[in-house]
Amino acid sequence: SIIISTVMTVSSSNWLMAWIGLELNMLAILPIMSKPKTTRASEATTKYFLTQAIASAMMLLSSTINAWQTGNWGISELKNKFSTTIMALSLMMKMGAAPIHFWLPEVLQGVTLQTALLITTWQKIAPITLMYMISNNVQPTILVFAGILSMIIGGLGGINQTQLRKTMAYSSINNLGWTITIMAFSPNMALMNIFTYILMTTPIFLMMTSTSTKTLQNLSTTWTTSLTMTLSIALLMLSTSGLPPFTGFMPKMLILNELISQKLTILATLAIMTSLISLLFYLRIAYLIMMLTPPTTTPSSTKWRTQNQKSQPTTMMIPTALFITHLIPAIPY
């Protein structure tokens, strides 16, 4: 149902079908989120349901007002300024971008790692595709403001976190900031950025799942399970932060190049400065992993972990998520 509803939203050409697809998508993920019979999972499911329901209501309001004004339900026909602003806000709420980001860290903290992976990757595809479709009609000021705010909040929010799921939630908010900022000027680059992020985040969550790692303290003892996996997580964190020569550097460099070519040097400088804030917590995680690997002994008690089977998809994704920067010259931008 989750796959079908996302495909339905992405391939629809009018707002009603897109809205139905998003509603089905929300209803399909609720049982998965509430499967662990814990109060935290129930709370996370309720928070997710309420925020998504409000966003859906805003989306329906926006498209109805536009249809009333223009007599057209087409997605590309969103011409009314009031409608486009409400639609942009509702889609930001759906994907968890600032200033309506509050639900994302709380929800991720309450669900399992597999569900957290689903929320931070697959669940973002439908709203970002809709944002891509209306990007020509939305005022660039709104997108840039939301994007810069997401970058700042994503960077500052992740600094003091010890819970890895919350850290990944703020990482997601930060990355959405880059996506939304460039959406106003080069929508194709925004799509490339979000798919690169999905490519980097997926192996991190899969490895965290296979090593039962949920906190920084757990992470400091993962070398007992698999040293290769531990070092891969550290490198993927650096890749997500946007350090060269890793894959994460590629979209950021292209985005900055685009902003400077559009004579938006101040915006590009702001983006780089906020990127440095988020680099702080990625480096902290990488330092924790690199410095506490054997033969250094760790004061933390080692967690009991069952030895899982090696995951073939994860193994194949890691090199792609780390070393495809050399493809930059082949990208038409």
Side-chain angles (χ1 to χ4, degrees):
S1 295
I2 289 170
I3 294 166
I4 290 168
S5 57
T6 303
V7 171
M8 186 175 162
T9 303
V10 169
S11 56
S12 61
S13 59
N14 72 67
W15 283 117
L16 209 57
M17 286 304 290
W19 176 77
I20 291 168
L22 285 169
E23 285 297 293
L24 287 172
N25 184 266
M26 178 187 73
L27 292 172
I29 201 172
L30 292 178
I32 296 173
M33 290 174 71
S34 60
K35 188 175 178 287
K37 298 293 177 279
T38 59
T39 47
R40 299 198 75 162
S42 305
E43 185 187 337
T45 311
T46 311
K47 283 176 180 173
Y48 185 82
F49 171 73
L50 289 172
T51 47
Q52 297 295 317
I54 293 164
S56 292
M58 285 169 68
M59 190 177 164
L60 203 57
L61 169 72
S62 166
S63 51
T64 309
I65 289 171
N66 188 67
W68 182 35
Q69 295 279 330
T70 62
N72 200 324
W73 280 94
I75 290 178
S76 55
E77 300 300 318
L78 200 69
K79 298 285 189 274
N80 187 350
K81 276 191 178 179
F82 179 69
S83 292
T84 50
T85 308
I86 292 184
M87 185 61 76
L89 283 170
S90 73
L91 292 174
M92 284 173 203
M93 195 171 182
K94 281 263 179 207
M95 62 179 93
I100 325 168
H101 64 281
F102 302 101
W103 63 272
L104 188 61
E106 297 297 321
V107 166
L108 283 202
Q109 188 53 33
V111 296
T112 61
L113 284 165
Q114 293 99 320
T115 315
L117 167 65
L118 200 61
I119 293 169
T120 49
T121 55
W122 185 264
Q123 294 298 94
K124 300 237 187 301
I125 294 173
I128 282 172
T129 309
L130 290 174
M131 186 76 93
Y132 174 84
M133 290 179 188
I134 64 164
S135 58
N136 289 335
N137 301 326
V138 184
Q139 293 174 10
T141 322
I142 295 167
L143 293 177
V144 168
F145 175 74
I148 292 292
L149 198 62
S150 295
M151 287 183 205
I152 294 167
I153 287 168
L156 293 175
I159 289 174
N160 282 330
Q161 296 298 336
T162 54
Q163 298 288 335
L164 283 173
R165 278 170 294 183
K166 275 195 175 178
T167 308
M168 293 308 291
Y170 283 110
S171 161
S172 170
I173 293 165
N174 179 269
N175 201 275
L176 279 173
W178 284 85
T179 307
I180 291 168
T181 303
I182 198 63
M183 188 74 81
F185 309 105
S186 175
N188 291 342
M189 209 168 281
L191 283 190
M192 186 199 70
N193 182 56
I194 200 68
F195 283 117
T196 310
Y197 171 74
I198 290 171
L199 185 71
M200 293 183 296
T201 306
T202 308
I204 293 177
F205 270 112
L206 290 175
M207 286 189 286
M208 277 162 56
T209 307
S210 62
T211 54
S212 311
T213 305
K214 293 189 179 76
T215 63
L216 286 180
Q217 190 179 5
N218 293 162
L219 202 58
S220 66
T221 58
T222 43
W223 55 266
T224 55
T225 310
S226 167
L227 185 59
T228 317
M229 205 177 276
T230 311
L231 293 174
S232 298
I233 291 175
L235 291 174
L236 283 165
M237 286 290 180
L238 293 178
S239 179
T240 315
S241 71
L243 276 182
F246 301 117
T247 301
F249 172 65
M250 176 180 68
K252 288 192 176 178
M253 194 193 78
L254 294 176
I255 287 170
L256 291 172
N257 183 49
E258 181 67 26
L259 288 175
I260 291 164
S261 66
Q262 300 255 15
K263 303 286 187 291
L264 296 160
T265 318
I266 296 169
L267 185 58
T269 312
L270 269 171
I272 293 169
M273 286 167 72
T274 53
S275 181
L276 287 174
I277 302 170
S278 62
L279 181 64
L280 191 65
F281 68 82
Y282 289 118
L283 277 175
R284 180 182 172 212
I285 295 168
Y287 170 81
L288 187 74
I289 296 171
M290 300 288 197
M291 294 297 110
L292 296 179
T293 46
T296 314
T297 53
T298 169
S300 306
S301 55
T302 307
K303 195 173 180 181
W304 178 271
R305 295 182 176 97
T306 53
Q307 191 67 42
N308 287 308
Q309 293 294 315
K310 295 289 178 285
S311 173
Q312 200 68 37
T314 316
T315 316
M316 286 158 60
M317 285 179 83
I318 293 167
T320 322
L322 285 176
F323 305 113
I324 56 166
T325 320
H326 58 276
L327 293 179
I328 292 179
I331 297 169
Y333 59 87

